[in-house]
């Protein structure tokens, strides 16, 4: 197997075979991200990728999940994707799910018929980074697309039978920004998509990014744990996404949360309230010297 540079995958792909089809991200300009700064976006020769898949067969008797890396495998031409998907089906007939990251622009470049064809050939799930439903924030962080465009193309994937996992970022507005608008607008956008999975991550700071520079210049204030919990609570209060599996248990999250919407919404809010109450009581105890 051949891998070039740092390789990233969603937490839910921890036990998947990672097949690196592209190097880097086709956009690679988001102000908060440094994931693919070590490499220029390029496409690996399909012959090399197929050899990697064939080699993996000799290592494992059974592989049920495969993830196509790097940051935007769906940007690949149709003939390339179909060749890889068909080869996976031939070498791993037991595979139940092939997944990939997908930017909104990559989805937009595929016709409805092409999306259906990808599903027929085995692409079962795509991970889409919404980040925020607030258009001003998406512009500020140089996401390159609007929330409306992401919603539209996510729904096209669903219509083609491809499940979607949508990512949003807790704390993206900052303490000195309109975090209420971020929470409510993101809830509205996610509600419009009703994805199978929702991942609520927490904003992190990496050197070499515009976000890092904003913080150094005093233009952006990171939110603390209690502030992030209040934002998550507001998001949950406004979301309507029946059946979506909600997860906020990434390594970046201060308070692990998980449940199925809308069924578990009140329980999730109660968990947040209990954590906030605990922080208040702890702070009071410290102030009193107890």
């Amino acid at each position: 197997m051949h891998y070039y540079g740092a390789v990233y995958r969603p937490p839910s792909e921890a036990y998947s075979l990672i097949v690196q089809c592209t190097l880097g991200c086709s956009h690679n300009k988001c102000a908060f991200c440094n994931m693919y700064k070590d490499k220029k976006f390029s496409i690996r020769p399909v012959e090399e990728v197929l050899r990697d898949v064939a080699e993996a067969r000799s290592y494992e008797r059974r592989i049920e999940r495969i993830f196509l890396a790097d940051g935007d495998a769906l940007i690949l031409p149709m003939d390339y994707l179909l060749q890889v998907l068909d080869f996976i089906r031939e070498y791993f007939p037991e595979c139940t799910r092939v997944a990939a990251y997908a930017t909104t622009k990559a989805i937009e470049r595929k016709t409805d018929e092409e999306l259906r064809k990808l599903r027929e050939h085995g692409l079962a799930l795509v991970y889409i980074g919404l980040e925020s439903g607030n258009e001003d924030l998406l512009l500020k962080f140089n996401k390159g697309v609007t929330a409306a465009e992401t919603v539209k193309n996510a729904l096209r994937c669903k219509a083609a039978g491809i499940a979607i996992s949508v990512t949003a970022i807790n704390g993206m507005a900052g303490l000195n920004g309109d975090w209420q608008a971020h929470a409510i607008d993101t809830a509205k956008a996610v509600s419009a998509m009703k994805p199978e999975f929702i991942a609520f991550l927490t904003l992190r700071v990496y050197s070499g990014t515009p976000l890092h520079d904003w913080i150094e210049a005093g233009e952006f204030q990171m939110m603390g744990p209690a502030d992030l919990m209040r934002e998550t609570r507001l998001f949950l209060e406004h979301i309507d996404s029946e059946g979506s599996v909600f997860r906020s248990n990434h390594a970046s999250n201060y308070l692990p949360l998980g449940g199925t919407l809308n069924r578990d919404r009140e329980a999730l809010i109660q968990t947040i309230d209990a954590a906030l109450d605990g922080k208040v009581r702890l702070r009071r105890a410290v102030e009193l010297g107890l």
Side-chain angles (χ1 to χ4, degrees):
M1 298 291 292
H2 297 86
Y3 296 101
Y4 302 89
V7 179
Y8 299 91
R9 47 86 182 153
S12 56
E13 301 294 337
Y15 301 103
S16 301
L17 169 67
I18 309 297
V19 178
Q20 196 175 31
C21 298
T22 66
L23 305 184
C25 171
S26 61
H27 179 60
N28 205 24
K29 296 175 183 177
C30 294
F32 55 81
C33 182
N34 76 336
M35 283 171 57
Y36 300 108
K37 300 304 181 186
D38 64 331
K39 45 188 158 180
K40 183 179 179 180
F41 179 77
S42 61
I43 297 173
R44 290 187 63 203
V46 69
E47 295 79 14
E48 288 185 9
V49 174
L50 298 183
R51 283 199 294 270
D52 280 349
V53 174
E55 183 181 343
R57 176 77 286 177
S58 66
Y59 298 147
E60 296 287 342
R61 292 183 57 189
R62 186 172 184 84
I63 294 178
E64 297 185 353
R65 292 187 177 184
I66 295 176
F67 180 74
L68 305 181
D70 267 337
D72 188 16
L74 208 70
I75 202 75
L76 291 163
M78 278 297 291
D79 58 346
Y80 187 119
L81 283 168
L82 293 178
Q83 199 171 348
V84 171
L85 290 170
D86 289 346
F87 202 78
I88 287 172
R89 180 177 292 178
E90 177 184 352
Y91 272 75
F92 297 96
E94 74 278 11
C95 181
T96 59
R97 190 178 86 183
V98 179
Y101 284 128
T103 63
T104 296
K105 287 185 177 179
I107 300 169
E108 198 168 42
R109 291 175 60 169
K110 300 287 190 287
T111 67
D112 292 345
E113 178 56 34
E114 285 174 334
L115 290 174
R116 284 192 291 270
K117 197 165 188 178
L118 289 172
R119 179 65 190 96
E120 291 170 1
H121 287 251
L123 182 66
L125 172 68
V126 291
Y127 295 87
I128 301 172
L130 169 69
E131 325 309 3
S132 176
N134 184 270
E135 302 294 4
D136 290 338
L137 277 178
L138 293 176
L139 186 63
K140 175 182 176 66
F141 279 85
N142 199 24
K143 183 66 181 173
V145 293
T146 66
E149 289 170 333
T150 297
V151 170
K152 174 186 174 182
N153 285 284
L155 291 173
R156 291 181 60 233
C157 287
K158 287 189 68 174
I162 301 172
I164 58 175
S165 179
V166 174
T167 300
I169 300 179
N170 195 193
M172 194 165 164
L175 191 60
N176 57 328
D178 193 347
W179 62 267
Q180 294 96 334
H182 168 52
I184 294 171
D185 291 345
T186 303
K188 288 179 180 177
V190 175
S191 297
M193 290 183 275
K194 291 184 169 49
E196 282 77 7
F197 305 97
I198 303 167
F200 211 58
L201 310 183
T202 298
L203 185 69
R204 302 176 79 172
V205 188
Y206 299 98
S207 60
T209 62
L211 174 61
H212 179 272
D213 296 339
W214 298 341
I215 294 170
E216 289 289 300
E219 300 170 7
F220 189 98
Q221 296 177 28
M222 293 290 287
M223 299 176 78
D227 305 308
L228 291 164
M229 282 187 257
R230 293 186 187 98
E231 183 180 279
T232 303
R233 190 187 197 285
L234 188 60
F235 170 83
L236 289 169
E237 284 179 339
H238 286 82
I239 196 167
D240 177 14
S241 191
E242 186 68 37
S244 295
V245 174
F246 175 81
R247 291 289 183 268
S248 183
N249 57 359
H250 184 260
S252 65
N253 298 125
Y254 291 98
L255 177 66
L257 295 169
T260 300
L261 300 175
N262 294 326
R263 182 193 69 195
D264 299 328
R265 177 170 46 202
E266 291 308 314
L268 291 168
I269 290 174
Q270 288 174 16
T271 300
I272 293 172
D273 288 344
L276 286 169
D277 182 59
K279 282 187 172 292
V280 170
R281 285 187 281 109
L282 176 61
R283 184 169 65 247
R284 287 174 180 168
V286 170
E287 291 170 352
L288 293 171
L290 299 177

